[in-house]
Amino acid sequence: MIGRKILAGLIACAALISGCSKTQTSQGTARSGEGGFENEEAAGRTIYVSYGGGLCTSPMALAAYFGFYKNEGLNVEIVKVESEKEALVTGKIDAAGGFM
């Protein structure tokens, strides 16, 4: 019983120390001049993302609506499709968020 309490205390201390270290890096996307996606071949190109009207694909449409893509420097166009499989195969879209 005492061994479990000591183990729990050590785990809590380790979590606290690792969460408060000064070497912690911020997570996020690279900004201009940091060697991020701007150096990629596809940078500046429009990314076509499907929206089929269902709940599974709504996060991509909502991200566009609220400007999340634009805030990250991405040019995304939402494309209404009937069949995501067909749209991917024909090249009408670059990405799909629903079930295939």
Side-chain angles (χ1 to χ4, degrees):
M1 192 70 154
I2 293 176
R4 287 185 182 186
K5 289 182 180 180
I6 291 174
L7 181 60
L10 288 173
I11 291 172
C13 287
L16 229 145
I17 291 170
S18 66
C20 298
S21 71
K22 290 183 180 182
T23 59
Q24 185 177 6
T25 59
S26 64
Q27 293 180 351
T29 57
R31 299 291 179 205
S32 201
E34 293 181 6
F37 67 89
E38 293 90 358
N39 296 334
E40 295 295 325
E41 184 180 323
R45 148 184 184 302
T46 300
I47 302 167
Y48 298 96
V49 177
S50 71
Y51 175 67
L55 272 177
C56 296
T57 57
S58 61
M60 280 61 71
L62 287 171
Y65 178 79
F66 288 114
F68 295 150
Y69 297 124
K70 189 176 284 188
N71 290 344
E72 296 299 323
L74 299 172
N75 185 18
V76 174
E77 184 176 320
I78 303 297
V79 179
K80 176 81 167 129
V81 296
E82 293 296 320
S83 168
E84 290 181 332
K85 288 179 189 177
E86 187 178 318
L88 275 170
V89 170
T90 60
K92 186 176 180 181
I93 60 172
D94 298 310
F99 292 110
M100 300 303 284

